[in-house]
Amino acid sequence: MSAKSYTLPGLIIAGFICLFVAASVSALLFYSPGFNPALLWQDAYYRHITKFSFYQAFLSTILSVGLAIPVAHALSRRHFFAKSFLLKLFATTLVLPVLVGVFGLLSVYGNSGQIAQLLAMVDQKLPFSIYGLNGILLAHVFFNLPFAARLLLQSLHSIPSEHHQLSSHLGISHWNKFKLVEWPCLRQQLPHVCGLVFMLCFTSFATVMALGGGPKSTTIELAIYQAIKFDFDLQAGALLALWQILLCGSLAIGIQRFSRPIPLTNTTGKQSFYLFNDNRAAKIWDSLWISLVLFLVIPPLLMIVINGLNAKFISVISSPSFWDALQNSFLVAIFAAFIALFAGFFMLLTSRSWRLVGIDFKADKLELIATIILVTPGLVISTGLFLLLRNITDVFGFAIVIVIAVNALMALPYVIKTLAQPMLQVAQQYDQLCASLGLFGFSRFYLIEWRAIKRPIIHAFSISFVLSMGDLSAIALFGSQDLRTLPLYLLQLLGSYQMESAAVVSLFLFILSIGIFSAVEQISSQNNAH
């Protein structure tokens, strides 16, 4: 089989992605002639939302990563009951639909939440409002602190056990051990972790939309949505979308320059435990931080379950609106996951064939195209497509197709990251054997590839499915009363203050996301065990 037959499908898909994004950006440029960042900065409103986007992302990163350091350090030193469960719970905050997490936070910290009710019993009022900057920071810490702690915990577990044994034998204090042994390891990973969390917070959409609380707490991403959806100011939407691309591109380049990637593996708490000079003060210190993160993560998740089982449960799950939204969610998630998986697989076939002959430069560039969505947020791509198609056809008639395409593009980086290394290893081990046996095409895939990397493929599909199931950014722009997914249905219920109905929908989304992700974690654990 010729090398061209391996590389051509991946090149065609890469070309289609470039065309897809270029068409979107071209439409944005057409609607914002004379795009000039300097002039944009002179406008007071644009300057405010830009400053606020950076400000909230900066504070969120400082809080999330700053608190994650002692949490990860405490978890690395302690074994306790349900530690493995806690680490799996940390992982779920990454795939938990944002609105579901926000609903859980409102149930605890909202004006009518559990804390407010407890304070009301002693004639006290909640000393803060969850809406505005407070709520945005709280939600970002809720989602990103566990994620950052997992990454830093992996880093601490990479320290050779000999270093721990030597520290114990020398009898050095906890502080000196942290300063001399653990901090240098953490410091190497901090730029990457901070950069990742900053980008997630800077492009945050659903959190800011649910908790922003008005023009004072608006980010660029939310301003794009408001300009298109509410004001129908297409020029302003296009201008802000280009501004967002410019800033995200600059941030991504800066982050890539000053950081190095960390492999995302499953941290199950089964790493080897090491001896150290333990004492009561160290135990209290570690318990304090572990309790803090438990208090942050557990109550909102618990309230999602408790509030979901209410008197509206039967009426919500028997309503046609709920089943329509559920059907659309499955439709979007299944097609987006399949498209992302096929696109990622064929692009990796191309890139690995280049790597096997030493053309790493071309392989890196091809895989970079697959991750282009990281610098062009889904809402920005959706905005460009909306502007492009509105003069050609009924854009809302193709809404479901556009939503699927944007979600597939958003899931593609996760597929690439999950499958790249396993596919390369399979090729390195079995290429010559397949050539000698005459195994090509589907026969090779079924007999070799599928058997060797079945679990990473399932993992990539499941992650894509869960992310697409909970996404709000694309459907928020194209959704309507006739087309809505569960996240959009939940947003509409929250917007109309139907809190009991919203609680039921939150519970369903929570069960779907956690159930699928737990199954994936179980499969991955079995894979590691084998």
Side-chain angles (χ1 to χ4, degrees), residues 27 58 92 99 122 239:
F58 174 75
T92 61
L99 278 184
V122 290
L239 197 65

Coordinates of all heavy atoms in Angstrom, one line a residue, residues 27 58 92 99 122 239:
A27 N -15.5 35.7 7.3 CA -16.7 36.4 7.5 C -16.6 37.4 8.6 O -17.2 38.5 8.5 CB -17.8 35.3 7.9
F58 N -6.9 36.3 35.7 CA -5.7 36.3 36.6 C -6.0 35.9 38.0 O -5.3 35.1 38.6 CB -5.1 37.8 36.5 CG -4.0 38.0 37.4 CD1 -2.7 37.5 37.2 CD2 -4.2 38.7 38.6 CE1 -1.7 37.7 38.0 CE2 -3.1 38.9 39.5 CZ -1.9 38.4 39.2
T92 N -13.8 14.6 37.7 CA -15.2 14.8 37.2 C -15.5 16.3 37.0 O -16.3 16.7 36.1 CB -16.3 14.2 38.1 OG1 -16.2 14.9 39.4 CG2 -16.1 12.7 38.3
L99 N -22.9 24.4 33.5 CA -24.2 24.9 34.2 C -24.6 24.0 35.3 O -25.2 24.5 36.3 CB -25.3 25.0 33.1 CG -25.3 26.2 32.2 CD1 -26.5 26.2 31.3 CD2 -25.3 27.5 33.1
V122 N -30.2 32.4 62.4 CA -29.7 33.2 63.5 C -29.8 34.7 63.2 O -29.0 35.5 63.6 CB -28.3 32.8 63.8 CG1 -28.2 31.4 64.4 CG2 -27.4 32.8 62.6
L239 N -16.1 42.2 15.3 CA -15.0 42.9 15.8 C -14.4 42.3 17.1 O -13.2 42.0 17.3 CB -15.4 44.4 16.1 CG -14.2 45.4 16.3 CD1 -13.5 45.6 15.0 CD2 -14.8 46.8 16.7

